Amino acid sequence: MRKFILLFLAAFCLVFASSQAYASSTKIVAEGRYILGDNDTRTQAKDAAVKDAMRIAVEKAGVYVESYSETNDYQLTKDQVKMAAAGVVKVMDQSIDFVDNGTACRAVIYADVDTDNLQVIIQDMLSGETTKSDSD
């Protein structure tokens, strides 16, 4: 029985350690801004500034860029650029304040960004599959 428990614990530790080794999580500090319009509320401005900070955090964690250019007789005939940024953002802490005499909202987030799904998007791009955002 003792061997079984030790074997189970060893297998559990191995599985847990391997899942942690493959996780591509990055701690990021990002700042987002939103300039208030005439009809914006402070709550809307806060939400928009946090969303901007989250977008910036994902872009800081990793962006995949692919470009293709085609020329004919030294003239550019086709130029295509594809970009992908994806991640799951877990906001650990945030600081929100209004700046510029209250006309802009600034959000600073401390986030943990998991970019595992970026690998799937890159594989889809390399295989030529289109995603929903490609057809928009």
Side-chain angles (χ1 to χ4, degrees):
M1 182 69 175
R2 182 178 169 157
K3 279 186 178 181
F4 177 76
I5 292 173
L6 288 175
L7 185 61
F8 176 77
L9 286 174
F12 177 78
C13 289
L14 181 64
V15 168
F16 182 76
S18 66
S19 68
Q20 293 297 317
Y22 290 112
S24 56
S25 180
T26 308
K27 298 203 181 323
I28 303 278
V29 177
E31 178 180 323
R33 288 183 164 260
Y34 182 78
I35 298 175
L36 282 82
D38 291 336
N39 297 322
D40 292 329
T41 65
R42 292 174 69 87
T43 303
Q44 290 171 328
K46 288 178 185 179
D47 291 343
V50 170
K51 284 181 185 178
D52 187 46
M54 291 171 72
R55 178 190 56 80
I56 291 169
V58 168
E59 289 176 356
K60 281 185 175 181
V63 175
Y64 175 77
V65 179
E66 178 182 296
S67 67
Y68 173 77
S69 298
E70 188 176 295
T71 60
N72 187 10
D73 294 328
Y74 301 105
Q75 295 291 320
L76 183 65
T77 58
K78 185 175 184 179
D79 195 18
Q80 183 178 14
V81 178
K82 292 182 181 180
M83 293 178 54
V88 176
V89 179
K90 181 178 180 184
V91 177
M92 308 304 277
D93 194 16
Q94 67 183 15
S95 170
I96 301 172
D97 58 338
F98 287 86
V99 294
D100 298 333
N101 295 325
T103 60
C105 182
R106 181 182 67 188
V108 177
I109 63 167
Y110 304 90
D112 192 22
V113 181
D114 182 8
T115 58
D116 283 340
N117 54 351
L118 181 60
Q119 297 298 323
V120 174
I121 292 172
I122 291 170
Q123 292 297 328
D124 288 347
M125 286 176 68
L126 292 176
S127 67
E129 296 179 17
T130 59
T131 59
K132 183 178 178 185
S133 62
D134 290 339
S135 61
D136 290 344

